[in-house]
Amino acid sequence: MSTSDILLSPPPPQDIIGQVIRMGCLLKLHLPTILSFLIDVEAHMLSMPGKNNFGSRFNPYRWSAPVYENPDELIEAIQSARFLSKRLKSVRVIGEARPCFKTKRAGSAPLDETRVNCFEAREPFIFDFEDGSSLEFWPQGRDYVRMACSSIPNRIENGLSFNTPTFQEFFISVLGENWQGYELKDFEVVRIKHKAVVTSLIKGKIKEDIGDEIFYRFKFGNDCCFEFRPQERENKYDIFFSHGYSDFVAPSELKSLAPTITLPKHICWSTGPFCDSVDISLYTPFVKNEQKLPRTLKRYVETQVGFSVSEDFVPGCLFESWCNHYDSDCNNGESFDCYGLSLFTLEQMSQVCEEIKDYIGKLKHASIPLEEQSEILRWSENYSSSPTEAEIKEANSLLVDFLEQYCELTEGIMSLCPDCEYISIMGP
């Protein structure tokens, strides 16, 4: 059995490991030490149907990485894949990683802060090792992690958003050129439970549970640590990095942030809802043949499966296709207007995808009527009333990319849970 096979297989309960240390409200799970095998552990790992058949960019629904909900299973997977003592070669992230400064406790920074000490990402982080293997790690909210071994090719850089060069440059600036070769020493899952004591005139002292945090630490040699902290909203996570006492970089040291550098600003799909977004997701209340989805799968689908975009950037061709295949009988007689909740059967949404693919073919062969040129030009980074031929070509390419993603993502969520009867489109 290969390393990747081991990592992608659910761990048997008798092999689940971890040293559990309780210190007040802190629960820390360590990798190297076996405490005892655990009995009656409910399996929470979800297998995914993806085949890693990526196109030019990463697609979460084509990815085979399973979903881990139980920290013990996550730790066992890393243990089984024998990543301890492997030497680090480089790190990379799929899609956009936005540089920022955050305090670990408050989650914000002084207004005049001019340092970069972490990155905000929303797609997989990848550790590449000297032996040619890689560990792909993606925290999804505070409940889930997707993780796999050597399944995302090096050529894949873009995801639902465009990759930015600042990320790699940051780690070279902090570590210098000699950071390669550090050994992976430990992996920790840290869960902090927050409690408050309220003193009431009537009820006296009351203890209240006000939530918890979870974060993940990869500890390497030479006091090098990567810490992942999932955000509560928008399916993002923060990557904090420290190397001894060095944990930040001045923006002036990052050449990719210079004013003369142009980074892609194309509006892309998001992994989660946000203000004024149009959200496409599986609708779980209705399942074919009145079946019931497994509890763990249903919860994951409802919180993590879907994609979103700003209402201002829904292309006219996509809106028109939604209208063409919308059935008011499935929606209490209501007409489709992209606001509120609209339901499409999987067959109807498949027809939408086929119609959009035909439109993509026209875009690629420059056979779009003149009256629809304004639709294309909305996708230019520098829109003008008299665009150049190069600007039109660039805008055309970005629109093609956007629509191809829509089809891939929609088909992906339908294949993930084919027993669901409907896809929902929820407007702001």
Side-chain angles (χ1 to χ4, degrees):
M1 182 179 291
S2 68
T3 299
S4 58
D5 290 334
I6 294 174
L7 185 60
L8 296 177
S9 301
Q14 66 269 24
D15 291 338
I16 292 180
I17 67 167
Q19 181 184 21
V20 181
I21 301 175
R22 289 178 175 84
M23 302 174 60
C25 62
L26 177 64
L27 174 65
K28 182 182 290 186
L29 302 171
H30 277 282
L31 176 68
T33 307
I34 298 179
L35 176 64
S36 63
F37 77 84
L38 306 179
I39 304 175
D40 295 329
V41 176
E42 182 182 356
H44 293 291
M45 194 196 81
L46 292 173
S47 297
M48 294 287 110
K51 305 296 183 184
N52 303 322
N53 53 335
F54 306 110
S56 60
R57 62 197 309 149
F58 174 77
N59 182 317
Y61 306 110
R62 291 188 174 185
W63 194 28
S64 64
V67 179
Y68 293 90
E69 186 179 17
N70 187 323
D72 294 294
E73 294 178 349
L74 178 63
I75 287 173
E76 170 64 9
I78 296 179
Q79 174 79 0
S80 298
R82 300 181 181 179
F83 278 105
L84 280 184
S85 300
K86 286 195 175 186
R87 294 183 176 276
L88 189 63
K89 179 182 179 182
S90 62
V91 295
R92 52 194 169 103
V93 71
I94 299 297
E96 180 184 21
R98 188 174 68 86
C100 49
F101 183 95
K102 295 186 179 182
T103 58
K104 291 186 179 180
R105 290 187 178 181
S108 59
L111 294 177
D112 59 349
E113 185 57 62
T114 57
R115 296 176 292 175
V116 174
N117 76 333
C118 76
F119 281 80
E120 188 178 81
R122 64 179 72 198
E123 296 182 78
F125 181 101
I126 302 172
F127 295 99
D128 290 318
F129 296 97
E130 289 185 348
D131 67 353
S133 65
S134 62
L135 173 59
E136 300 143 359
F137 192 79
W138 186 8
Q140 293 187 299
R142 294 181 176 178
D143 296 318
Y144 304 103
V145 171
R146 291 190 71 181
M147 185 175 68
C149 172
S150 306
S151 63
I152 303 176
N154 289 336
R155 64 178 176 82
I156 300 294
E157 296 181 346
N158 300 324
L160 273 73
S161 58
F162 284 108
N163 183 261
T164 49
T166 313
F167 178 80
Q168 186 72 22
E169 189 184 1
F170 169 83
F171 289 107
I172 293 176
S173 297
V174 173
L175 286 162
E177 296 293 341
N178 298 320
W179 66 303
Q180 293 91 345
Y182 293 170
E183 287 188 2
L184 178 60
K185 298 292 188 181
D186 197 4
F187 171 69
E188 297 174 350
V189 181
V190 181
R191 190 182 294 274
I192 301 176
K193 295 187 177 295
H194 296 285
K195 295 184 179 294
V197 177
V198 179
T199 303
S200 167
L201 178 65
I202 305 299
K203 300 179 181 180
K205 286 189 176 180
I206 306 169
K207 291 185 178 180
E208 296 181 351
D209 188 350
I210 56 175
D212 60 0
E213 291 182 79
I214 188 168
F215 46 95
Y216 311 91
R217 291 176 181 153
F218 289 86
K219 292 187 171 182
F220 290 82
N222 283 23
D223 207 16
C224 169
C225 179
F226 295 82
E227 184 172 292
F228 298 78
R229 291 185 172 238
Q231 295 183 14
E232 190 172 359
R233 300 176 181 176
E234 294 190 29
N235 288 349
K236 298 178 182 178
Y237 64 92
D238 297 320
I239 309 161
F240 288 91
F241 172 78
S242 60
H243 180 222
Y245 294 104
S246 178
D247 62 359
F248 69 88
V249 170
S252 59
E253 296 180 34
L254 301 175
K255 297 178 181 179
S256 55
L257 293 181
T260 55
I261 301 298
T262 301
L263 298 177
K265 298 178 182 178
H266 168 48
I267 299 297
C268 297
W269 295 104
S270 166
T271 53
F274 54 91
C275 181
D276 296 330
S277 67
V278 175
D279 313 316
I280 295 91
S281 60
L282 289 167
Y283 191 68
T284 59
F286 295 119
V287 181
K288 293 178 181 177
N289 301 321
E290 297 184 354
Q291 300 180 48
K292 286 188 177 181
L293 296 178
R295 182 192 63 83
T296 304
L297 175 61
K298 183 175 185 293
R299 184 166 174 262
Y300 179 75
V301 167
E302 289 177 343
T303 59
Q304 299 296 329
V305 175
F307 54 102
S308 306
V309 71
S310 168
E311 63 171 323
D312 296 329
F313 288 92
V314 174
C317 59
L318 180 55
F319 183 85
E320 182 179 345
S321 187
W322 283 341
C323 291
N324 291 341
H325 297 282
Y326 176 81
D327 184 355
S328 60
D329 291 339
C330 297
N331 293 271
N332 298 320
E334 299 289 335
S335 59
F336 179 73
D337 62 1
C338 210
Y339 289 87
L341 175 67
S342 299
L343 299 179
F344 292 78
T345 65
L346 268 61
E347 181 181 358
Q348 290 165 349
M349 196 54 79
S350 295
Q351 292 170 352
V352 169
C353 289
E354 291 305 313
E355 198 166 282
I356 293 301
K357 289 176 183 177
D358 289 342
Y359 191 84
I360 291 172
K362 294 178 182 179
L363 286 170
K364 289 182 175 180
H365 293 91
S367 57
I368 298 298
L370 288 176
E371 59 269 20
E372 296 182 25
Q373 290 291 317
S374 59
E375 169 72 17
I376 298 174
L377 294 176
R378 289 178 59 204
W379 295 84
S380 173
E381 290 187 23
N382 301 300
Y383 178 79
S384 63
S385 57
S386 53
T388 65
E389 185 176 341
E391 287 175 334
I392 295 175
K393 185 177 180 180
E394 175 198 42
N396 190 86
S397 175
L398 291 173
L399 179 55
V400 165
D401 178 80
F402 183 88
L403 293 173
E404 285 179 338
Q405 278 196 82
Y406 169 80
C407 294
E408 286 187 12
L409 292 168
T410 302
E411 292 169 345
I413 63 175
M414 290 193 294
S415 66
L416 176 63
C417 196
D419 288 331
C420 282
E421 195 166 351
Y422 295 102
I423 295 284
S424 71
I425 296 178
M426 175 74 80

